[in-house]
Amino acid sequence: MSGRPDSGTGPETADSEAAAGQDESVDPLAASDDPLDESVDPLSASDDPWEDARRARWTAVGTGAALTLAGLAAALLRLTRSAPALVPAAYAGGAALCAAAAVLGSRGRTRRALWLLIAGVMVMALGDQFD
């Protein structure tokens, strides 16, 4: 930000923004660097785009791995019981989609990984409906 008003704003807007800036500069204790301060949200988006991308990759990998394990466990449980063959196949197929999403997430393709996770869970839910 350059500190000057946008071209579409009038002088009264610029004056009110300047007054708001002066109000913030009057109180030196308003912005605290204390790590125990509850007004600072540690889960807020950081200013570093690389950190956001790294967090998205780890989230995609972790979620994909967890859903893969859940789908494989459900497929194995359904194989031991008298269920139609389509049920464990649907769980295993959904688990395969979630595993592919984990791989894509680790390579930075988080948007595609998200869609594969959604598709994998939907396939597993379809297997649950067949049960």
Side-chain angles (χ1 to χ4, degrees):
M1 292 182 71
S2 64
R4 58 183 181 187
D6 294 335
S7 61
T9 60
E12 64 277 351
T13 306
D15 292 337
S16 64
E17 289 175 357
Q22 289 175 353
D23 290 340
E24 292 174 359
S25 64
V26 171
D27 188 10
L29 299 177
S32 175
D33 291 333
D34 184 17
L36 299 176
D37 187 12
E38 293 179 358
S39 64
V40 178
D41 186 12
L43 298 177
S44 66
S46 65
D47 293 336
D48 186 20
W50 294 105
E51 179 66 29
D52 292 340
R54 185 173 24 258
R55 186 177 301 138
R57 281 195 305 270
W58 278 106
T59 302
V61 170
T63 306
L67 287 173
T68 299
L69 290 175
L72 288 177
L76 289 175
L77 284 173
R78 297 299 184 229
L79 275 175
T80 60
R81 297 186 181 169
S82 61
L86 191 58
V87 174
Y91 280 117
L97 286 174
C98 291
V103 170
L104 282 178
S106 70
R107 295 184 180 182
R109 306 287 186 190
T110 53
R111 184 175 296 156
R112 291 181 182 141
L114 173 66
W115 285 110
L116 271 180
L117 286 172
I118 292 170
V121 170
M122 288 177 65
V123 169
M124 286 190 240
L126 191 65
D128 190 43
Q129 288 297 314
F130 289 142
D131 193 14

